Amino acid sequence: MNNEIELKNQIIEIMQQESDLLDVILSQQSVVHKSVSKRNWENIESVMSNLQDLSDKFVELESKRVLLCNQINIFQDPELSPVIRNVRTKLNKSKVENRVLNEYISTTRKFLQGIFDEVIPQRRNVLYSKNGNVIKPELSSVVLNQFI
């Protein structure tokens, strides 16, 4: 019984750390979104590096939590339920932020690719890699004349 209480406390502590870490991750995701919108590329690089470190820490905490949760059924424990709900809510917010950013980047990329396809003629030959996959042609250099 005492061991079970100690186990619950460890799980709650780890999940609190995950929750705090998710707060920082969510704020960093917001910074990334704003930086992409403002095209502040230097800031994006530093924030993305920071996000990777935070993500690694979260994965480490999550692996500890999973090991502890294998010893107890956390979903039927009323003491753990609010903490689980809190972490799940923040994880869902993070997933939505990622999805929104990915859609924004994908839409912008498609738009720009459409412009480049119209403006810059690409070679018509299909190139294949060593593995037989189709290689998309890269953009070629363009020289623009300027009239004053």
Side-chain angles (χ1 to χ4, degrees):
M1 182 72 176
N2 192 19
N3 188 26
E4 187 174 320
I5 293 172
E6 184 178 318
L7 189 63
K8 285 181 189 180
N9 288 337
Q10 287 177 346
I11 292 172
I12 289 173
E13 181 182 329
I14 287 174
M15 293 192 82
Q16 283 297 96
Q17 290 174 359
E18 285 181 341
S19 177
D20 294 342
L21 198 56
L22 283 169
D23 287 336
V24 176
I25 288 172
L26 285 168
S27 69
Q28 292 294 304
Q29 285 177 317
S30 176
V31 170
V32 167
H33 188 75
K34 290 175 185 173
S35 296
V36 167
S37 298
K38 294 179 180 178
R39 291 158 181 79
N40 185 351
W41 309 124
E42 294 85 20
N43 192 30
I44 290 174
E45 287 181 33
S46 65
V47 173
M48 291 302 285
S49 174
N50 190 21
L51 270 173
Q52 184 61 46
D53 294 340
L54 293 170
S55 176
D56 292 343
K57 289 178 186 174
F58 185 84
V59 168
E60 184 180 314
L61 285 172
E62 186 64 12
S63 62
K64 289 179 185 177
R65 186 198 62 82
V66 167
L67 287 174
L68 292 174
C69 288
N70 286 336
Q71 301 172 23
I72 189 173
N73 186 357
I74 62 169
F75 297 107
Q76 293 184 358
D77 193 323
E79 294 174 27
L80 297 174
S81 182
V83 181
I84 293 170
R85 190 175 318 113
N86 184 20
V87 170
R88 280 187 171 177
T89 301
K90 290 178 182 180
L91 279 171
N92 285 332
K93 285 179 184 178
S94 178
K95 286 179 184 179
V96 168
E97 280 287 326
N98 281 340
R99 206 172 299 133
V100 166
L101 184 61
N102 285 334
E103 286 177 15
Y104 175 78
I105 291 171
S106 176
T107 302
T108 304
R109 182 174 181 251
K110 286 178 186 176
F111 172 73
L112 291 174
Q113 187 65 47
I115 290 173
F116 285 128
D117 289 345
E118 287 293 320
V119 173
I120 304 168
Q122 296 292 316
R123 35 177 202 239
R124 302 285 180 213
N125 299 340
V126 178
L127 298 176
Y128 295 93
S129 70
K130 293 184 215 176
N131 302 331
N133 298 328
V134 175
I135 299 174
K136 293 184 180 181
E138 295 184 22
L139 295 176
S140 57
S141 298
V142 176
V143 177
L144 300 175
N145 290 333
Q146 293 183 347
F147 294 101
I148 298 177

